[in-house]
Amino acid sequence: MSRTVAVTLLLLALACTLFYALHRSMADAVLAFGAHPEVVEALEASLDDQKELARLDPSVEAERRERFDEVQELLLRLRVLELNRQDILRRYEALLVALFLASAALAVGFLVWRQRRQEPRLARLQAALTRLAAGEPEVRAPDRGRDAVGRIAAMIERTSRRMAADRRRLAALQGLSAWQSTARQQVHELRTPLTAARLAAERLRAELTTGGNGDGEAAAAAERGEEELARLGEQARRLAEFARLPPPQPARSDLAALAAEFANTYRDAWPGTDLSAGGGGYEGGGEIAVEVDRDLLRQVLVNLCENASQAGAGRIELRAGGNGAAAELVVADDGPGVPPALAGRVFEPYVTSRGDGSGLGLAICRKILLDHGGDLELAETAGGAAFRLTLPRATGDADGAAA
Amino acid sequence: MSGADRRAALATLLLAVAALAVFAPAAGAQPRLEARDGALWLTALPPILAEESVDRQLTSGLTTGFVFTLEVERETRGAAQVEIRYELWDEVFLTARLEAGRADERRETVGSRPALDRWWRTLDLRLGALPAGGADGEVHLVIVPFSQAEEAETRRWFAESVRRAESTGSGDSASLGGGGGLDRVLTTLIGTSIRRRPLVEYRWAVEIPQATGNPEAPE
């Protein structure tokens, strides 16, 4: 629209400039003086004067005659102009009209050309919108113009990506909720027999090791059984933790500040692993305001750093950033990375690359982020592993009046 | 109505008739074609010099042109041209006529306006060879207010005036739109509107006389 207005203004300016030039050239030079009746009268009077002067003084007749001829020449030219005055004015006006018509034709031509150029773009936009309405994932609107059509195309693509992400989040939430339901049942069924078995194992080990009549090998076997039961108990505890994740209690926080605080607090938690926080900040500057449950976020970060450390990473970096309506925190390490075979299933419960892992840590982490309205994804990296935590950006002012 | 009133009315009527006779529009009068010496002559020209627009033009100092053509069945069969220019210094009328079949231009000087009227009334113009067989034709007179030379001279002067105005009076106008190109186009467009257009035109239906004897061979 702004381009159309600019071109129209340009054409009008061109027309005005041409008009001005035309007016100056013509009106100043000819129309203003050529047809003035007083000029003609003065010239006629001058002719009479020359003749009278010559009559009164015949000695200057030649000189007067010469002057007479000059004036007469000018007078005759003006009379010719006067005879053509209406035609000249008509031609002058016709030129003006032609000039403005040409300008108008140019403007109309430009608008028609622009309209014809817009039609296929609008058709592509319409097709993209139709695909978007049909629920097609990752709709592409092939228009990179900087005008309204281009901006709408970009909005369609952004909306499509957002809808696709929402669908992924919803599917993940549904899957994890189903797993949580199953976990609750398993915990319920495991807890009582596991407790009874652990108590029985403790009593057996006590009997085998007390009174001096115990069998050493039997006692050791009982102890191993007790340890296995303890491991099973830990698994059950993790399962219970997954099954009964508390709903988040979000509060407005600066994600970059949270990351920095976490890195500072947990700097020495994983010996041999250098933990640091950085990042470019929020797009456009300022704080990266999010509504987040700080305890749950800390649990997620601990889990991710624990995994990285156990995988042998020597460096973990937290990078806070974001764009548009989303804030993100990337947890990147220089470890061996996630095996490609697991990359697509890494957030599913019981999927782990470690033999002693429960396979519930990343599932819990993602569930926490999903409960915040965000997500946890495995980011593509050249080396190591990188997890991207996304959270909705907090709106409203810093006093807690979030929208 | 009394007798005095009747006399007054009659006098008024007579005056009106007399005025009509004197100032009758020239278009009412007819020129005549004559066959003479095997050629066709235009004679008895109507007093169109007395027409107001023509009269005013005759004393302007410009060359007034009178172009006569004879048309028969939409074809031109003869032509003649008369030019009258009032010499402002000597206060005489310079006339020139160019007739069909005559290579030279005949020039005459007429000393006064009444003399010019007399000269006009006695003017015989040779339109060309006498066509075979009589027919009805039409004499077409176009009066143009200035000559081709005066037209060309005024155009040249006009263009020169525009250039002079650009370079002196309004120096900034020369810088507008490049000054030269646009102005040249405009000067040409406006300059070409200076043209010889008919001041007035007349058409008279005439009877072409029969050829008597041997028609004159074309010259």
Side-chain angles (χ1 to χ4, degrees), chain B residues 64-83:
Chain B
T64 310
F66 301 80
V67 182
F68 294 91
T69 51
L70 172 64
E71 293 173 7
V72 179
E73 294 174 348
R74 296 182 182 278
E75 281 187 20
T76 302
R77 295 291 178 86
Q81 180 176 323
V82 175
E83 286 185 347

mmCIF file with all atom_site columns, all heavy atoms in Angstrom, chain B residues 64-83:
data_model
loop_
_atom_site.group_PDB
_atom_site.id
_atom_site.type_symbol
_atom_site.label_atom_id
_atom_site.label_alt_id
_atom_site.label_comp_id
_atom_site.label_asym_id
_atom_site.label_entity_id
_atom_site.label_seq_id
_atom_site.pdbx_PDB_ins_code
_atom_site.Cartn_x
_atom_site.Cartn_y
_atom_site.Cartn_z
_atom_site.occupancy
_atom_site.B_iso_or_equiv
_atom_site.pdbx_formal_charge
_atom_site.auth_seq_id
_atom_site.auth_comp_id
_atom_site.auth_asym_id
_atom_site.auth_atom_id
_atom_site.pdbx_PDB_model_num
ATOM 1   N N   . THR B 1 64 ? -2.940  40.197 -46.488 1.00 0.00 ? 64 THR B N   1
ATOM 2   C CA  . THR B 1 64 ? -4.191  39.449 -46.528 1.00 0.00 ? 64 THR B CA  1
ATOM 3   C C   . THR B 1 64 ? -4.279  38.715 -47.865 1.00 0.00 ? 64 THR B C   1
ATOM 4   O O   . THR B 1 64 ? -4.089  39.322 -48.920 1.00 0.00 ? 64 THR B O   1
ATOM 5   C CB  . THR B 1 64 ? -5.394  40.386 -46.378 1.00 0.00 ? 64 THR B CB  1
ATOM 6   O OG1 . THR B 1 64 ? -5.181  41.228 -45.233 1.00 0.00 ? 64 THR B OG1 1
ATOM 7   C CG2 . THR B 1 64 ? -6.685  39.614 -46.198 1.00 0.00 ? 64 THR B CG2 1
ATOM 8   N N   . GLY B 1 65 ? -4.523  37.418 -47.769 1.00 0.00 ? 65 GLY B N   1
ATOM 9   C CA  . GLY B 1 65 ? -4.567  36.617 -48.986 1.00 0.00 ? 65 GLY B CA  1
ATOM 10  C C   . GLY B 1 65 ? -5.996  36.250 -49.347 1.00 0.00 ? 65 GLY B C   1
ATOM 11  O O   . GLY B 1 65 ? -6.811  35.943 -48.469 1.00 0.00 ? 65 GLY B O   1
ATOM 12  N N   . PHE B 1 66 ? -6.287  36.311 -50.639 1.00 0.00 ? 66 PHE B N   1
ATOM 13  C CA  . PHE B 1 66 ? -7.610  35.919 -51.149 1.00 0.00 ? 66 PHE B CA  1
ATOM 14  C C   . PHE B 1 66 ? -7.380  34.787 -52.148 1.00 0.00 ? 66 PHE B C   1
ATOM 15  O O   . PHE B 1 66 ? -6.819  35.016 -53.219 1.00 0.00 ? 66 PHE B O   1
ATOM 16  C CB  . PHE B 1 66 ? -8.306  37.088 -51.834 1.00 0.00 ? 66 PHE B CB  1
ATOM 17  C CG  . PHE B 1 66 ? -8.508  38.280 -50.936 1.00 0.00 ? 66 PHE B CG  1
ATOM 18  C CD1 . PHE B 1 66 ? -7.471  39.174 -50.695 1.00 0.00 ? 66 PHE B CD1 1
ATOM 19  C CD2 . PHE B 1 66 ? -9.727  38.515 -50.340 1.00 0.00 ? 66 PHE B CD2 1
ATOM 20  C CE1 . PHE B 1 66 ? -7.652  40.275 -49.863 1.00 0.00 ? 66 PHE B CE1 1
ATOM 21  C CE2 . PHE B 1 66 ? -9.925  39.611 -49.515 1.00 0.00 ? 66 PHE B CE2 1
ATOM 22  C CZ  . PHE B 1 66 ? -8.877  40.496 -49.260 1.00 0.00 ? 66 PHE B CZ  1
ATOM 23  N N   . VAL B 1 67 ? -7.765  33.601 -51.761 1.00 0.00 ? 67 VAL B N   1
ATOM 24  C CA  . VAL B 1 67 ? -7.506  32.434 -52.612 1.00 0.00 ? 67 VAL B CA  1
ATOM 25  C C   . VAL B 1 67 ? -8.827  31.990 -53.234 1.00 0.00 ? 67 VAL B C   1
ATOM 26  O O   . VAL B 1 67 ? -9.749  31.574 -52.517 1.00 0.00 ? 67 VAL B O   1
ATOM 27  C CB  . VAL B 1 67 ? -6.881  31.293 -51.790 1.00 0.00 ? 67 VAL B CB  1
ATOM 28  C CG1 . VAL B 1 67 ? -6.570  30.098 -52.681 1.00 0.00 ? 67 VAL B CG1 1
ATOM 29  C CG2 . VAL B 1 67 ? -5.611  31.777 -51.102 1.00 0.00 ? 67 VAL B CG2 1
ATOM 30  N N   . PHE B 1 68 ? -8.891  32.107 -54.548 1.00 0.00 ? 68 PHE B N   1
ATOM 31  C CA  . PHE B 1 68 ? -10.106 31.707 -55.265 1.00 0.00 ? 68 PHE B CA  1
ATOM 32  C C   . PHE B 1 68 ? -9.858  30.352 -55.924 1.00 0.00 ? 68 PHE B C   1
ATOM 33  O O   . PHE B 1 68 ? -8.796  30.127 -56.531 1.00 0.00 ? 68 PHE B O   1
ATOM 34  C CB  . PHE B 1 68 ? -10.441 32.710 -56.375 1.00 0.00 ? 68 PHE B CB  1
ATOM 35  C CG  . PHE B 1 68 ? -10.811 34.079 -55.852 1.00 0.00 ? 68 PHE B CG  1
ATOM 36  C CD1 . PHE B 1 68 ? -9.840  35.062 -55.665 1.00 0.00 ? 68 PHE B CD1 1
ATOM 37  C CD2 . PHE B 1 68 ? -12.139 34.391 -55.575 1.00 0.00 ? 68 PHE B CD2 1
ATOM 38  C CE1 . PHE B 1 68 ? -10.188 36.315 -55.201 1.00 0.00 ? 68 PHE B CE1 1
ATOM 39  C CE2 . PHE B 1 68 ? -12.480 35.663 -55.121 1.00 0.00 ? 68 PHE B CE2 1
ATOM 40  C CZ  . PHE B 1 68 ? -11.498 36.621 -54.929 1.00 0.00 ? 68 PHE B CZ  1
ATOM 41  N N   . THR B 1 69 ? -10.834 29.466 -55.801 1.00 0.00 ? 69 THR B N   1
ATOM 42  C CA  . THR B 1 69 ? -10.747 28.192 -56.528 1.00 0.00 ? 69 THR B CA  1
ATOM 43  C C   . THR B 1 69 ? -12.099 27.923 -57.172 1.00 0.00 ? 69 THR B C   1
ATOM 44  O O   . THR B 1 69 ? -13.148 28.248 -56.604 1.00 0.00 ? 69 THR B O   1
ATOM 45  C CB  . THR B 1 69 ? -10.393 27.007 -55.604 1.00 0.00 ? 69 THR B CB  1
ATOM 46  O OG1 . THR B 1 69 ? -11.275 27.008 -54.489 1.00 0.00 ? 69 THR B OG1 1
ATOM 47  C CG2 . THR B 1 69 ? -8.967  27.072 -55.113 1.00 0.00 ? 69 THR B CG2 1
ATOM 48  N N   . LEU B 1 70 ? -12.025 27.329 -58.322 1.00 0.00 ? 70 LEU B N   1
ATOM 49  C CA  . LEU B 1 70 ? -13.251 26.923 -59.004 1.00 0.00 ? 70 LEU B CA  1
ATOM 50  C C   . LEU B 1 70 ? -13.364 25.404 -58.885 1.00 0.00 ? 70 LEU B C   1
ATOM 51  O O   . LEU B 1 70 ? -12.444 24.675 -59.267 1.00 0.00 ? 70 LEU B O   1
ATOM 52  C CB  . LEU B 1 70 ? -13.200 27.328 -60.482 1.00 0.00 ? 70 LEU B CB  1
ATOM 53  C CG  . LEU B 1 70 ? -14.346 26.783 -61.337 1.00 0.00 ? 70 LEU B CG  1
ATOM 54  C CD1 . LEU B 1 70 ? -15.701 27.336 -60.903 1.00 0.00 ? 70 LEU B CD1 1
ATOM 55  C CD2 . LEU B 1 70 ? -14.102 27.073 -62.817 1.00 0.00 ? 70 LEU B CD2 1
ATOM 56  N N   . GLU B 1 71 ? -14.476 24.948 -58.343 1.00 0.00 ? 71 GLU B N   1
ATOM 57  C CA  . GLU B 1 71 ? -14.673 23.518 -58.162 1.00 0.00 ? 71 GLU B CA  1
ATOM 58  C C   . GLU B 1 71 ? -15.858 23.069 -59.002 1.00 0.00 ? 71 GLU B C   1
ATOM 59  O O   . GLU B 1 71 ? -16.930 23.677 -58.952 1.00 0.00 ? 71 GLU B O   1
ATOM 60  C CB  . GLU B 1 71 ? -14.930 23.196 -56.688 1.00 0.00 ? 71 GLU B CB  1
ATOM 61  C CG  . GLU B 1 71 ? -13.706 23.460 -55.818 1.00 0.00 ? 71 GLU B CG  1
ATOM 62  C CD  . GLU B 1 71 ? -14.004 23.314 -54.340 1.00 0.00 ? 71 GLU B CD  1
ATOM 63  O OE1 . GLU B 1 71 ? -15.136 22.885 -54.003 1.00 0.00 ? 71 GLU B OE1 1
ATOM 64  O OE2 . GLU B 1 71 ? -13.120 23.642 -53.538 1.00 0.00 ? 71 GLU B OE2 1
ATOM 65  N N   . VAL B 1 72 ? -15.613 22.044 -59.760 1.00 0.00 ? 72 VAL B N   1
ATOM 66  C CA  . VAL B 1 72 ? -16.686 21.432 -60.546 1.00 0.00 ? 72 VAL B CA  1
ATOM 67  C C   . VAL B 1 72 ? -16.735 19.964 -60.173 1.00 0.00 ? 72 VAL B C   1
ATOM 68  O O   . VAL B 1 72 ? -15.727 19.263 -60.287 1.00 0.00 ? 72 VAL B O   1
ATOM 69  C CB  . VAL B 1 72 ? -16.412 21.592 -62.056 1.00 0.00 ? 72 VAL B CB  1
ATOM 70  C CG1 . VAL B 1 72 ? -17.529 20.921 -62.868 1.00 0.00 ? 72 VAL B CG1 1
ATOM 71  C CG2 . VAL B 1 72 ? -16.302 23.057 -62.429 1.00 0.00 ? 72 VAL B CG2 1
ATOM 72  N N   . GLU B 1 73 ? -17.878 19.569 -59.687 1.00 0.00 ? 73 GLU B N   1
ATOM 73  C CA  . GLU B 1 73 ? -18.057 18.182 -59.225 1.00 0.00 ? 73 GLU B CA  1
ATOM 74  C C   . GLU B 1 73 ? -16.917 17.773 -58.278 1.00 0.00 ? 73 GLU B C   1
ATOM 75  O O   . GLU B 1 73 ? -16.259 16.750 -58.464 1.00 0.00 ? 73 GLU B O   1
ATOM 76  C CB  . GLU B 1 73 ? -18.142 17.240 -60.426 1.00 0.00 ? 73 GLU B CB  1
ATOM 77  C CG  . GLU B 1 73 ? -19.388 17.496 -61.259 1.00 0.00 ? 73 GLU B CG  1
ATOM 78  C CD  . GLU B 1 73 ? -19.409 16.669 -62.537 1.00 0.00 ? 73 GLU B CD  1
ATOM 79  O OE1 . GLU B 1 73 ? -18.359 16.075 -62.883 1.00 0.00 ? 73 GLU B OE1 1
ATOM 80  O OE2 . GLU B 1 73 ? -20.442 16.610 -63.180 1.00 0.00 ? 73 GLU B OE2 1
ATOM 81  N N   . ARG B 1 74 ? -16.667 18.637 -57.337 1.00 0.00 ? 74 ARG B N   1
ATOM 82  C CA  . ARG B 1 74 ? -15.683 18.412 -56.263 1.00 0.00 ? 74 ARG B CA  1
ATOM 83  C C   . ARG B 1 74 ? -14.233 18.351 -56.764 1.00 0.00 ? 74 ARG B C   1
ATOM 84  O O   . ARG B 1 74 ? -13.340 17.929 -56.044 1.00 0.00 ? 74 ARG B O   1
ATOM 85  C CB  . ARG B 1 74 ? -15.997 17.118 -55.479 1.00 0.00 ? 74 ARG B CB  1
ATOM 86  C CG  . ARG B 1 74 ? -17.316 17.185 -54.750 1.00 0.00 ? 74 ARG B CG  1
ATOM 87  C CD  . ARG B 1 74 ? -17.555 15.923 -53.960 1.00 0.00 ? 74 ARG B CD  1
ATOM 88  N NE  . ARG B 1 74 ? -18.848 15.969 -53.287 1.00 0.00 ? 74 ARG B NE  1
ATOM 89  C CZ  . ARG B 1 74 ? -19.082 16.582 -52.137 1.00 0.00 ? 74 ARG B CZ  1
ATOM 90  N NH1 . ARG B 1 74 ? -18.108 17.211 -51.521 1.00 0.00 ? 74 ARG B NH1 1
ATOM 91  N NH2 . ARG B 1 74 ? -20.300 16.593 -51.603 1.00 0.00 ? 74 ARG B NH2 1
ATOM 92  N N   . GLU B 1 75 ? -14.038 18.762 -57.989 1.00 0.00 ? 75 GLU B N   1
ATOM 93  C CA  . GLU B 1 75 ? -12.672 18.799 -58.507 1.00 0.00 ? 75 GLU B CA  1
ATOM 94  C C   . GLU B 1 75 ? -12.290 20.250 -58.790 1.00 0.00 ? 75 GLU B C   1
ATOM 95  O O   . GLU B 1 75 ? -13.094 21.020 -59.299 1.00 0.00 ? 75 GLU B O   1
ATOM 96  C CB  . GLU B 1 75 ? -12.563 18.000 -59.796 1.00 0.00 ? 75 GLU B CB  1
ATOM 97  C CG  . GLU B 1 75 ? -12.472 16.507 -59.555 1.00 0.00 ? 75 GLU B CG  1
ATOM 98  C CD  . GLU B 1 75 ? -12.194 15.750 -60.830 1.00 0.00 ? 75 GLU B CD  1
ATOM 99  O OE1 . GLU B 1 75 ? -11.700 16.375 -61.799 1.00 0.00 ? 75 GLU B OE1 1
ATOM 100 O OE2 . GLU B 1 75 ? -12.478 14.549 -60.869 1.00 0.00 ? 75 GLU B OE2 1
ATOM 101 N N   . THR B 1 76 ? -11.064 20.600 -58.441 1.00 0.00 ? 76 THR B N   1
ATOM 102 C CA  . THR B 1 76 ? -10.605 21.955 -58.683 1.00 0.00 ? 76 THR B CA  1
ATOM 103 C C   . THR B 1 76 ? -10.267 22.121 -60.168 1.00 0.00 ? 76 THR B C   1
ATOM 104 O O   . THR B 1 76 ? -9.444  21.375 -60.703 1.00 0.00 ? 76 THR B O   1
ATOM 105 C CB  . THR B 1 76 ? -9.369  22.258 -57.819 1.00 0.00 ? 76 THR B CB  1
ATOM 106 O OG1 . THR B 1 76 ? -9.742  22.068 -56.447 1.00 0.00 ? 76 THR B OG1 1
ATOM 107 C CG2 . THR B 1 76 ? -8.895  23.686 -58.012 1.00 0.00 ? 76 THR B CG2 1
ATOM 108 N N   . ARG B 1 77 ? -10.912 23.095 -60.770 1.00 0.00 ? 77 ARG B N   1
ATOM 109 C CA  . ARG B 1 77 ? -10.680 23.309 -62.216 1.00 0.00 ? 77 ARG B CA  1
ATOM 110 C C   . ARG B 1 77 ? -9.975  24.628 -62.505 1.00 0.00 ? 77 ARG B C   1
ATOM 111 O O   . ARG B 1 77 ? -9.636  24.912 -63.634 1.00 0.00 ? 77 ARG B O   1
ATOM 112 C CB  . ARG B 1 77 ? -12.031 23.305 -62.956 1.00 0.00 ? 77 ARG B CB  1
ATOM 113 C CG  . ARG B 1 77 ? -12.760 21.988 -62.908 1.00 0.00 ? 77 ARG B CG  1
ATOM 114 C CD  . ARG B 1 77 ? -12.010 20.949 -63.741 1.00 0.00 ? 77 ARG B CD  1
ATOM 115 N NE  . ARG B 1 77 ? -12.660 19.654 -63.691 1.00 0.00 ? 77 ARG B NE  1
ATOM 116 C CZ  . ARG B 1 77 ? -13.646 19.294 -64.499 1.00 0.00 ? 77 ARG B CZ  1
ATOM 117 N NH1 . ARG B 1 77 ? -14.082 20.129 -65.398 1.00 0.00 ? 77 ARG B NH1 1
ATOM 118 N NH2 . ARG B 1 77 ? -14.190 18.095 -64.381 1.00 0.00 ? 77 ARG B NH2 1
ATOM 119 N N   . GLY B 1 78 ? -9.787  25.431 -61.503 1.00 0.00 ? 78 GLY B N   1
ATOM 120 C CA  . GLY B 1 78 ? -9.110  26.691 -61.735 1.00 0.00 ? 78 GLY B CA  1
ATOM 121 C C   . GLY B 1 78 ? -8.828  27.371 -60.409 1.00 0.00 ? 78 GLY B C   1
ATOM 122 O O   . GLY B 1 78 ? -9.459  27.056 -59.393 1.00 0.00 ? 78 GLY B O   1
ATOM 123 N N   . ALA B 1 79 ? -7.820  28.265 -60.386 1.00 0.00 ? 79 ALA B N   1
ATOM 124 C CA  . ALA B 1 79 ? -7.473  28.945 -59.143 1.00 0.00 ? 79 ALA B CA  1
ATOM 125 C C   . ALA B 1 79 ? -6.781  30.266 -59.439 1.00 0.00 ? 79 ALA B C   1
ATOM 126 O O   . ALA B 1 79 ? -6.185  30.454 -60.507 1.00 0.00 ? 79 ALA B O   1
ATOM 127 C CB  . ALA B 1 79 ? -6.557  28.061 -58.314 1.00 0.00 ? 79 ALA B CB  1
ATOM 128 N N   . ALA B 1 80 ? -6.881  31.162 -58.487 1.00 0.00 ? 80 ALA B N   1
ATOM 129 C CA  . ALA B 1 80 ? -6.175  32.448 -58.577 1.00 0.00 ? 80 ALA B CA  1
ATOM 130 C C   . ALA B 1 80 ? -6.002  32.972 -57.159 1.00 0.00 ? 80 ALA B C   1
ATOM 131 O O   . ALA B 1 80 ? -6.753  32.596 -56.246 1.00 0.00 ? 80 ALA B O   1
ATOM 132 C CB  . ALA B 1 80 ? -6.969  33.439 -59.405 1.00 0.00 ? 80 ALA B CB  1
ATOM 133 N N   . GLN B 1 81 ? -4.983  33.797 -56.990 1.00 0.00 ? 81 GLN B N   1
ATOM 134 C CA  . GLN B 1 81 ? -4.733  34.315 -55.649 1.00 0.00 ? 81 GLN B CA  1
ATOM 135 C C   . GLN B 1 81 ? -4.427  35.809 -55.707 1.00 0.00 ? 81 GLN B C   1
ATOM 136 O O   . GLN B 1 81 ? -3.701  36.272 -56.597 1.00 0.00 ? 81 GLN B O   1
ATOM 137 C CB  . GLN B 1 81 ? -3.562  33.568 -55.015 1.00 0.00 ? 81 GLN B CB  1
ATOM 138 C CG  . GLN B 1 81 ? -3.245  34.065 -53.624 1.00 0.00 ? 81 GLN B CG  1
ATOM 139 C CD  . GLN B 1 81 ? -2.141  33.237 -52.965 1.00 0.00 ? 81 GLN B CD  1
ATOM 140 O OE1 . GLN B 1 81 ? -2.078  32.032 -53.156 1.00 0.00 ? 81 GLN B OE1 1
ATOM 141 N NE2 . GLN B 1 81 ? -1.291  33.918 -52.224 1.00 0.00 ? 81 GLN B NE2 1
ATOM 142 N N   . VAL B 1 82 ? -4.995  36.525 -54.752 1.00 0.00 ? 82 VAL B N   1
ATOM 143 C CA  . VAL B 1 82 ? -4.745  37.963 -54.651 1.00 0.00 ? 82 VAL B CA  1
ATOM 144 C C   . VAL B 1 82 ? -4.198  38.230 -53.260 1.00 0.00 ? 82 VAL B C   1
ATOM 145 O O   . VAL B 1 82 ? -4.683  37.668 -52.276 1.00 0.00 ? 82 VAL B O   1
ATOM 146 C CB  . VAL B 1 82 ? -6.054  38.764 -54.857 1.00 0.00 ? 82 VAL B CB  1
ATOM 147 C CG1 . VAL B 1 82 ? -5.806  40.254 -54.630 1.00 0.00 ? 82 VAL B CG1 1
ATOM 148 C CG2 . VAL B 1 82 ? -6.609  38.530 -56.240 1.00 0.00 ? 82 VAL B CG2 1
ATOM 149 N N   . GLU B 1 83 ? -3.176  39.057 -53.183 1.00 0.00 ? 83 GLU B N   1
ATOM 150 C CA  . GLU B 1 83 ? -2.626  39.449 -51.881 1.00 0.00 ? 83 GLU B CA  1
ATOM 151 C C   . GLU B 1 83 ? -2.663  40.971 -51.773 1.00 0.00 ? 83 GLU B C   1
ATOM 152 O O   . GLU B 1 83 ? -2.310  41.664 -52.740 1.00 0.00 ? 83 GLU B O   1
ATOM 153 C CB  . GLU B 1 83 ? -1.191  38.966 -51.733 1.00 0.00 ? 83 GLU B CB  1
ATOM 154 C CG  . GLU B 1 83 ? -1.094  37.471 -51.491 1.00 0.00 ? 83 GLU B CG  1
ATOM 155 C CD  . GLU B 1 83 ? 0.323   36.999 -51.220 1.00 0.00 ? 83 GLU B CD  1
ATOM 156 O OE1 . GLU B 1 83 ? 1.274   37.777 -51.457 1.00 0.00 ? 83 GLU B OE1 1
ATOM 157 O OE2 . GLU B 1 83 ? 0.474   35.860 -50.790 1.00 0.00 ? 83 GLU B OE2 1
#
